[in-house]
Structures are given as C-alpha cells and as structure tokens.
Amino acid sequence: MMDLAYTDAHRAFRAEVRDWMAAHVPKSPLKTLECEEGFNQHREWERVLKSGNWGMVTWPKEFGGRGVDLIEWLIFEEEYYGADAPLRVSQNGIFLLGPTLMEFGTPEQKARFLPPMAAGDEIWAQGWSEPGAGSDMAGIRTKAIRDGDHYVINGQKTWSSRAPFADWCFGLFRTDPESEKHRGLSMILFPLDSEGVTIRPIAQLDGNPGFAEIFFDNVRVPVENLLGEEGKGWNIAMATAGFERGLMLRSPARFQAAAKRLVELYRKKQDTARPAARDLVLQAWQDAEAYALSTYNTASRIMAGGKIGAEASCNKIFWSELDRMMHRTGLSLLGAEAELIGDGAEAAGRWLDGYMFSLAGPIYAGTNEIQRNIIAERVLGLPRI
Amino acid sequence: MDFRFSQDALDLADGARSFLDGANPPERLRSEDGRDSLWPQLAALGLLGVLAPESAGGLGLHDDSFVLIAEAAGRVCLPEPLVALAAISVPAVLATYPDEVGGLVRGDHVSPPVHPLAPYVHDADKADAFIIAGPDALYGVPSSKARLTPVKSIDPNRNLFRVEADLTDDLKVGGAGLCAVMAVRGATYTAAQLLGLTDAMIQMATDYAKEREQFGQPIGGFQAIKHHLASAQVKLEFARPVVYRAAASLDVDSIARQQVHAAHAKIAANEAARFASEVAIQVHGAMGYTFEVDLHYFMKRAWALETIWGDTAHHSMIINQAVIDGGLDIGPGTTFDAA
C-alpha cells in the first residue's frame, strides 16, 4: 500500500523547524528586498538562518547544508511559510546555481562558491535575457572571448533579478563569436563589482528596482569561472531552467499559505463578496492542495532515482496561474480598499503587492507560452515549428 | 512517506491496460452491441476481485492498486460496469454479506450500486440484485423486487434504467455509514475513469493534429493548437495526484476526510475532462462535430460521468462546508492525515 504517513523522524524534524522559526522569524515584516535597506535586512535574515544551519537544508553537509531528503525539504518549506518567514533573497543561488554547480562544477568551484552562498555572504543575480534574446534565448549576443587566462565580456544583459544589490552573477555568454543559436554558448560566473560592469536598475511594476540591465565593457573574468565545458552552456542552462521550473523555486507551502490567507479574508468579507468569489476561493484552496500533492509525488519519484522532465513545464504554468488567480480574488474581496498602498494599508497592500508580483509569474523562468510549446512538443510529441 | 504506486500496482495496471486496449477498440464502441461480452474475460483476469479477499477468490489488494485499472477502463471507454462492480459493489457486499463476494468476483452475480447521486443504472436488466443506498440505510434488493424503467443516455454505450424499489426493513443490510462509503467510492472511481477519458481525448486530438494538414503543414505545428492541448495536459497532470490520493485514503482516513478528498478528486477530474473534451472537438474542427470520428463516444461518456456520483456543484458544497464553514486547514495535516 502507498505509504502516505510522515515518519517519527519527519515529525521530529517538523517540530524542530517550527520551534526554531517561532523563536527567530522577525516579529514585524522586513522591507521589500527590492530596495537597499530591505535587501540588507533579507541578507541579515539569511545569516540568521545560517546560524541555525537552515540556509539550504537539502545541500550536502560539506557545502553548508543538512543533507535532508526532498520530503524533509517540503516539511521545512511548510514550516517556513507557516511561520510567515521572509522571502529568500538568496534564491537564485541556493535553488538554481547551487544545484547546477553540484552537477557541473569542479571540486574547487564547489568549495569556493557553495558555502558563502548558503551563508548569505554572496547573493547571486542571474544573467540570461538580453534586449534581443528573451523567449528566444538562443539569440544571445553578449560575447565572452578568451584572452589568455581570462574571458573578455562585451555586451548587455537585462531583466537580471537581484542585480541592483547582489554580489555575483551567473549567466550565458557567446564564447564562440562565429557560432549561432544554442551552440557556442558558455556559462560564466562573475562578480558584479568587476571593472567594466555597469548596472542600471529598472523600476518594476511596483516602482522598486527589483531587476536591472547589466552593461559589459571589456570585463575580464578568469577562466576558472567557466562552469562546465566551454561551448556547452546551453545544456547547463537547460538543467538550471529545469530546477527553476521544476521543484525548488516555488514550493507548495508558499501557495498553501496564500490560500489560507485567502480563506481567512473571505470569511471576513463574505457578506459583501460577489457570489462567484466563494467558488474562486474554494478553487484556490483545491489548486494549492493539488500542487502540494503533485510536488510530493514528484519528490517521491526523484528520491527513487527518477528525473524531472518536461512535466516541469506543467508545474510552472500551474503555480503561476494559481498565484495570479488567488491574488486577483483577494483583491476582488477588498472592495474600495484594493487600490490602497503604503502606511495604513498593510493588509490590502499585501494582496496588491502579491498581485503585481503574480503578474510576472507567467513571464519569468520561461513564459507560459514557451512552457506550453515545450509540453506540446516534448510531452505530446507535436511537430516543432 | 512515498507517494508512488508500488511496482505490483503498476504491473497489474499495465496488464489490465493492454487487455482493455486490445479487447475494447473503438470499433466495439461503434457497433454498440455486445456490451457485456467481456464479462467472462474480465472475471477470468481477476479484475472484478482486485479489492476482494483471497478467501473469496480475489487479490486482497487496497484501492491504490485498483485506481489505475479504473483509469485504464475510462481510457478505452469500456461499456462494461467493471469499475462500479469491483470498486463499489464488492466492498459493500464485503461489509454486509462477505460470503456472497465470491459470486461477484467470479462474475456469476451482478449487483450494481444504486445511489441518489447515481440513480440510473447501466445494464440493470442483466443484474441479479441491486445494492441501494436509501435515506438512512443500505438495502439489498433482488431484481425480482426492483422496478426498472428504461431511460436513454446521450452515450450510446450506456444502456440505462431508472431503478426503484420499496425499501422495506427486511431488505436492510447495513447502516447509513455504508451509504456514505458508497458515495465516496463512487466519486473517487468515477473521477479515475474521467482521468482515462481525458487522456484518451487529448491523445485523439493530438493524433489528429499530427495528421491533418492546412496551410501546407500539420495543424499540430501551430501554436494555437499546441497551446490548447498543452492546457488540457496541465489540467490532467494536476487532477491525477488528487484522484490518486483520494483512492489511497479510502478505508484509511476518517470518512469526513475521505469525503473531502473524493470531492476534490471529482471536481478536478470533471474539470479536466470537460476542458479536454472542448479542446479535442475544437482541434478536430468540423470532423469533431460528427459521427465520422470516435471522439464523440469518449466525450459523451465524460458528460455522463461528470454528473453521476455528484456533479461539481454537489462536491463544491462538500469542500465549502469543510473549508469555509468547518475551518479545515490547508497544509500537511490535511494533504496527508497527521502532520
């Protein structure tokens, strides 16, 4: 029979996380991590997490983790969001680059980059998109040309999340200037304070500089910072994208916490809610639950030696559309309060902030249109265009 | 904690799937006759007795070994009421007259379930008896004491009758608790069949989109078509674990929790099937609107199953009562019993 019970060890682990979070989660919310003060507050929170050895629980102990399995990771996330703990400023590093380094990095690279990543001492930005390479990422033009022991980078990246305040960046660059499309690309890591790097923050929908353009003017990066083989960057990027769309980036606990707040809001507002609101609230509750079930299923498969494949694209579509629907519904329950932000509008502002952020969900990490192409071509086997 | 099917369950389902694919091709749906001709083979393969104890000739397995078989039956749009008998009647008889289970497992006796949520019974004219959920008790009614009124379904492979009987005390076989169990089983297993139907409809539309050419290329190369089908696939992928969890919780979790899980499963499967059916007909274009392709058999079965054992309105009220009125939390203690 299917074993759907948590073990005693699971329960003990859950209790340990819960107790620690209750004692350490900041009592009042931090400022948004998309301003300097808020970013630093979030970095400080990463250090507090690290002090309890909660930086990245799934990582091996030698790299600053606890070596827990994916079920325990889900338990950690449930307790983390259940405690309303801050967003992870280090997510590009710990969820994306970290696993990529573990798969493709040299022993020296792992030793150099993983511990400070888990400790919050080095916060990572990512550099994929360019003005001419968005959904068509193979259109990357920014060059990294080998010159002795260095690569010399020239060009421009954009929509680089965390870049305004982060320390390091990983991205995809064209190391073979004669190459086209997905060939001749390489994954390179560089410090954002390198000479020749200019960062121009971009105001997001909420007005905060959550991401930035990065300009490269003869930026010299040592060849040790090449991740994986030169010219094989596309495959590495696809693996990273798999982590992003797959399991780690958006754990179900995040949406369950939002669904719970939505139910509470509905209970307060149901006398003035439109009739359809109840259906939407129930749908949100069910879909957050379905996403949790699906993730437990995927985690179980991966723990038994399976891999996450193109179905990661189904996940990304599902959670991003759920997130948007939940926040839209929350706003619809607020009536005239829904437009208010700032002081005195904390409760309403959270739904509005969440709604604005949710509008980015179907766009980042590969637009949902690209995800639907992937499902159609790789799951259903329809012809590529 | 391991939310996967056992290898035995997967192997059993593979066997059932290959038998059903071969034995119930679309031509059989088109002929609209011989609707019960597979009974001897279904019984011989042991599929009627998966949930029955070995002492009664069954396999003695739990529902997480039958839910994939129910999905496979849906996928081929099987006319025989294999799922209703094996997953609803067998457990009901086991709980009331265990000595009688052997006859059901062998296919000698056919005793379909009747419930206010599923009042129309397929092939009731071939039944020996009925297991009827009354207002406050479960009744066993021999066919001689039942009144059958033929009714016509839009699904040409459903040979329906309204079944009524005078539910007198001498026919009582169990309490209201068994009626609740019946409803939970009915919803869960109807949802499982809907998953199979959804899968089949997506597959048919995908196959058609690979073949059909317009503007000098297969229409499946166009994003408009791809995105329709991908959206249907997402609905299916996220209905599956909900239905599988509902099956895994049968007879394990409290009945109140089973009811919420089953309600969620039925709502999710209803939505996936309805969405996939509308996408599939759209992808087929005018052909989908005809008897020229087989899609309509699957679509009509999906319509039928969407309403029986509780439609979306019914099950939404169950979730509403639990979540909005009852304060059922969301999170690990609900997803899986006991955090």
Side-chain angles (χ1 to χ4, degrees):
Chain A
M1 233 173 82
M2 246 179 221
D3 173 14
L4 298 184
Y6 294 102
T7 62
D8 287 344
H10 288 152
R11 287 171 219 276
F13 181 70
R14 183 185 296 286
E16 189 188 351
V17 182
R18 184 171 294 185
D19 291 348
W20 193 90
M21 292 295 160
H24 292 85
V25 168
K27 296 291 172 261
S28 52
L30 307 184
K31 285 195 178 329
T32 170
L33 57 81
E34 287 154 0
C35 68
E36 191 162 11
E37 188 187 353
F39 193 92
N40 289 333
Q41 287 176 346
H42 282 79
R43 186 199 289 272
E44 197 45 49
W45 166 245
E46 290 294 326
R47 290 180 175 139
V48 174
L49 276 175
K50 177 63 189 165
S51 73
N53 197 20
W54 300 111
M56 192 51 202
V57 290
T58 54
W59 285 12
K61 289 178 182 158
E62 57 180 309
F63 300 130
R66 283 180 179 243
V68 306
D69 65 30
L70 288 174
I71 298 296
E72 289 164 314
W73 173 69
L74 286 164
I75 292 170
F76 172 80
E77 292 283 300
E78 284 157 3
E79 295 306 319
Y80 189 89
Y81 284 100
D84 213 3
L87 294 176
R88 303 298 301 269
V89 67
S90 58
Q91 69 174 32
N92 290 328
I94 58 177
F95 296 146
L96 303 180
L97 181 59
T100 313
L101 268 167
M102 284 180 218
E103 195 165 330
F104 298 98
T106 63
E108 293 75 24
Q109 286 173 331
K110 292 179 200 177
R112 161 65 188 83
F113 291 113
L114 292 173
M117 190 186 286
D121 290 332
E122 288 177 353
I123 307 288
W124 287 78
Q126 37 179 334
W128 309 107
S129 298
E130 297 180 5
S135 286
D136 185 8
M137 204 168 76
I140 282 171
R141 298 258 72 90
T142 300
K143 292 185 180 62
I145 304 301
R146 183 78 181 256
D147 177 25
D149 292 340
H150 286 77
Y151 288 103
V152 181
I153 306 181
N154 279 288
Q156 180 189 351
K157 292 286 176 186
T158 192
W159 317 133
S160 177
S161 56
R162 306 278 195 274
F165 310 111
D167 308 295
W168 276 75
C169 183
F170 61 98
L172 212 49
F173 298 90
R174 197 162 288 283
T175 40
D176 176 0
E178 305 303 315
S179 64
E180 287 192 351
K181 298 196 172 168
H182 56 276
R183 285 175 294 276
L185 297 169
S186 299
M187 179 87 94
I188 294 175
L189 323 176
F190 63 96
L192 280 165
D193 61 0
S194 302
E195 197 180 331
V197 167
T198 306
I199 295 166
R200 190 180 78 83
I202 304 170
Q204 293 184 164
L205 198 55
D206 60 4
N208 289 315
F211 47 24
E213 290 176 291
I214 305 176
F215 299 91
F216 300 84
D217 180 12
N218 286 317
V219 176
R220 296 182 71 81
V221 178
V223 290
E224 302 93 87
N225 291 5
L226 172 72
L227 178 54
E229 273 181 66
E230 186 178 290
K232 294 283 160 82
W234 182 264
N235 298 342
I236 300 168
M238 288 301 106
T240 307
F243 298 128
E244 183 167 18
R245 289 164 197 161
L247 211 53
M248 292 257 157
L249 181 65
R250 293 289 177 259
S251 75
R254 177 178 177 134
F255 305 107
Q256 290 176 309
K260 186 175 178 159
R261 287 198 302 275
L262 186 61
V263 169
E264 286 160 5
L265 180 65
Y266 178 77
R267 284 215 194 89
K268 280 186 214 141
K269 303 280 186 181
Q270 57 183 318
D271 292 345
T272 54
R274 63 182 171 135
R278 185 172 61 176
D279 248 4
L280 292 168
V281 170
L282 295 174
Q283 192 63 54
W285 190 93
Q286 289 171 78
D287 285 354
E289 175 87 342
Y291 185 58
L293 287 164
S294 170
T295 308
Y296 269 90
N297 174 251
T298 306
S300 299
R301 281 193 295 112
I302 292 176
M303 284 167 63
K307 288 242 172 219
I308 187 160
E311 72 269 24
S313 293
C314 291
N315 286 357
K316 201 256 160 171
I317 290 170
F318 192 80
W319 64 248
S320 60
E321 295 182 358
L322 165 61
D323 200 35
R324 188 173 56 184
M325 181 275 266
M326 278 197 289
H327 286 92
R328 183 201 304 133
T329 304
L331 285 179
S332 80
L333 290 168
L334 289 168
E337 277 179 81
E339 74 164 307
L340 303 183
I341 57 171
D343 292 344
E346 283 80 9
R350 186 164 186 180
W351 288 103
L352 194 53
D353 280 344
Y355 180 60
M356 285 193 279
F357 186 63
S358 78
L359 292 174
I363 300 169
Y364 64 71
T367 67
N368 286 12
E369 286 69 28
I370 293 289
Q371 309 301 339
R372 285 185 162 88
N373 288 350
I374 292 171
I375 295 165
E377 290 164 13
R378 297 194 211 151
V379 179
L380 299 175
L382 287 166
R384 301 184 75 111
I385 312 155
Chain B
M1 173 69 68
D2 186 0
F3 189 14
R4 283 183 308 147
F5 290 102
S6 69
Q7 196 55 49
D8 286 351
L10 293 170
D11 292 345
L12 188 66
D14 275 348
R17 199 175 296 123
S18 48
F19 166 73
L20 290 167
D21 284 352
N24 192 60
E27 299 82 71
R28 187 162 182 258
L29 301 175
R30 274 177 237 145
S31 75
E32 294 171 26
D33 57 11
R35 277 184 298 249
D36 63 348
S37 57
L38 294 181
W39 271 127
Q41 284 163 281
L42 292 167
L45 284 167
L47 294 178
L48 285 162
V50 172
L51 303 180
E54 290 177 34
S55 58
L59 298 179
L61 296 173
H62 182 255
D63 293 275
D64 60 14
S65 290
F66 193 71
V67 66
L68 291 173
I69 296 172
E71 186 175 338
R75 204 166 142 267
V76 298
C77 200
L78 183 72
E80 282 82 353
L82 163 71
V83 178
L85 288 185
I88 305 171
S89 296
V90 164
V93 172
L94 197 56
T96 51
Y97 285 91
D99 292 349
E100 303 291 326
V101 172
L104 263 72
V105 170
R106 288 189 301 275
D108 296 343
H109 296 289
V110 174
S111 307
V114 189
H115 190 280
L117 296 170
Y120 309 117
V121 178
H122 171 64
D123 274 358
D125 55 338
K126 300 184 180 93
D128 305 290
F130 299 94
I131 303 166
I132 302 182
D136 51 7
L138 193 67
Y139 298 84
V141 180
S143 53
S144 59
K145 293 191 175 176
R147 296 184 296 280
L148 307 189
T149 315
V151 289
K152 203 163 160 49
S153 171
I154 184 67
D155 175 354
N157 285 298
R158 276 167 68 79
N159 173 37
L160 292 190
F161 297 83
R162 183 196 299 278
V163 177
E164 289 160 305
D166 296 321
L167 300 177
T168 49
D169 279 354
D170 58 313
L171 299 174
K172 213 177 259 187
V173 294
L178 289 178
C179 301
V181 168
M182 199 186 222
V184 161
R185 293 189 153 273
T188 301
Y189 278 103
T190 306
Q193 293 173 80
L194 282 161
L195 294 181
L197 286 159
T198 303
D199 194 10
M201 290 188 284
I202 293 172
Q203 193 58 55
M204 283 176 177
T206 301
D207 290 345
Y208 185 80
K210 288 177 187 169
E211 292 290 320
R212 170 69 177 164
E213 296 195 3
Q214 284 288 273
F215 304 102
Q217 68 166 78
I219 60 170
F222 294 118
Q223 286 195 344
I225 301 289
K226 285 182 175 175
H227 289 188
H228 277 322
L229 289 167
S231 296
Q233 184 68 23
V234 172
K235 299 248 187 209
L236 175 60
E237 288 298 328
F238 282 90
R240 273 194 169 124
V242 177
V243 176
Y244 298 160
R245 188 269 313 264
S249 78
L250 288 170
D251 300 340
V252 176
D253 289 353
S254 67
I255 187 72
R257 192 58 58 81
Q258 288 180 52
Q259 282 167 337
V260 174
H261 292 343
H264 187 181
K266 186 65 166 40
I267 294 169
N270 277 353
E271 168 64 14
R274 183 203 58 78
F275 189 89
S277 71
E278 291 180 2
V279 159
I281 191 170
Q282 185 70 20
V283 168
H284 277 84
M287 286 297 275
Y289 191 65
T290 69
F291 278 36
E292 301 291 312
V293 292
D294 298 318
L295 173 67
H296 74 106
Y297 291 113
F298 294 78
M299 188 159 59
K300 289 166 181 170
R301 178 67 55 83
W303 295 344
L305 298 193
E306 188 178 331
T307 62
I308 64 168
W309 294 106
D311 59 8
T312 294
H314 173 87
H315 289 293
S316 293
M317 291 317 292
I318 291 177
I319 306 247
N320 181 67
Q321 277 160 16
V323 174
I324 307 287
D325 303 337
L328 178 62
D329 202 1
I330 186 163
T334 301
T335 312
F336 302 112
D337 220 1

